[in-house]
Amino acid sequence: MDYGFIGWIVVGLIAGALAKWIMPGKDPGGIIVTILIGIAGGLLGGFIASRIGIGGGNVVNILIATAGAILLLWIYRIVKSRSA
């Protein structure tokens, strides 16, 4: 299934929730920032997956978006911990 921009945003919402569940802990910015990071991760994951030709199917797309969200959440935590 080929998602458009809006589709990856919706998948990003799910991915943000999954990323928070996989990486629990106190995030600077709270749940709203985590959701936004999930959306950005979904868009990033979708962009990269479409460029390298992987994807297809809802489960695979959610896994790709979740991986992108986890990566961005991890980077966000590192950046925020260094600035604090």
Side-chain angles (χ1 to χ4, degrees), residues 3-77:
Y3 289 162
F5 187 75
I6 300 297
W8 280 108
I9 288 175
V10 172
V11 170
L13 288 170
I14 297 167
L18 287 172
K20 182 65 176 169
W21 181 68
I22 292 169
M23 294 181 65
K26 186 165 175 67
D27 290 319
I31 190 72
I32 299 299
V33 172
T34 303
I35 290 171
L36 293 174
I37 289 172
I39 292 171
L43 292 172
L44 175 68
F47 176 76
I48 292 171
S50 67
R51 293 292 177 230
I52 61 176
I54 61 172
N58 292 331
V59 174
V60 173
N61 290 337
I62 289 173
L63 291 175
I64 291 168
T66 301
I70 288 171
L71 176 67
L72 289 181
L73 185 59
W74 179 69
I75 291 170
Y76 178 71
R77 286 180 179 178

